[in-house]
Amino acid sequence: MNGLAPEGTIRASLTLKGGKIAAVRVKPRPLPPLKALLKGKTPQDAVRLLPRLFSLCATAQTVAGQNALEMAQGQKVAPAQTALRLLLILAETVGEHVKHLLLDGPLAFDLAPDVPAVKQIRKHIGVLKDLTTDRQALAEWQESLRQL
C-alpha cells in the first residue's frame, strides 16, 4: 500500500481451520483516556474538547457529545437541527473520502495527488458548518455543490 495508513486503523486477523474461520481477533486503535480528560469539566467544555481528541470523525464525535449532553439535560432537539447534524456528519464523511481518494489513492500508484481539487471540495463542505437550518440557504449550498 505504499505506506498508506488511514487514521483509526483497526487491525484484524483470522485463524483458519479446514478452510473455515476458527478465530477472529480485532484490535482497534487505543482510545484517549476520556474519563480522566473530561472529569470535572463543564458539559459544554467537554463537547468542545471532543473534536481535538478524535482527529478522525471530529464532527461525528462532537455531534455524539452534543446529543448526549442534550439527552442528559432533558432537552428536545428540533427535527431540523437533527437533520442538519446528520448532514454535517455526511459532509465530513465525504470530505474524508475525497481526501483519501484524491490524495492518498494516487500515491498508492505513484501518481500525483490532486491537492487543488481536495482543497476546493473541502472548502465547499466547510461552508456547511456556518449554515443554519434555513431550507433556502441549504438548497443554495446544495445547488452550488452540483456546480463543482
Side-chain angles (χ1 to χ4, degrees), residues 3 17 37 40 50 52 65-66 74 77 87-88 100 115 127 133:
K17 267 192 181 170
L37 291 168
L50 287 174
R52 293 187 204 120
Q66 188 66 41
V77 179
L87 188 60
L88 289 170
H100 291 298
V115 175
V127 170
T133 55

Side-chain angles (χ1 to χ4, degrees), residues 43-54 56-73 75 77-93 128-129 131:
Q44 293 78 10
D45 286 343
V47 169
R48 280 193 290 272
L49 184 59
L50 287 174
R52 293 187 204 120
L53 298 176
F54 296 96
L56 185 64
C57 301
T59 299
Q61 297 295 342
T62 300
V63 167
Q66 188 66 41
N67 289 344
L69 172 60
E70 289 162 351
M71 286 177 62
Q73 294 175 334
Q75 293 179 5
V77 179
Q81 184 63 37
T82 299
L84 180 59
R85 289 177 182 176
L86 175 60
L87 188 60
L88 289 170
I89 292 170
L90 294 171
E92 177 181 59
T93 302
L128 252 182
K129 292 180 181 176
L131 295 181

Side-chain angles (χ1 to χ4, degrees), residues 24 26 35 54 86 114 119 123:
V24 177
V26 178
K35 187 175 182 179
F54 296 96
L86 175 60
D114 192 344
K119 284 183 178 179
K123 180 181 178 183

Side-chain angles (χ1 to χ4, degrees), residues 97-107 112-115 117-118 121:
H97 286 295
V98 162
K99 180 181 85 171
H100 291 298
L101 285 169
L102 298 178
L103 295 182
D104 300 334
L107 292 174
D114 192 344
V115 175
V118 172
I121 293 167

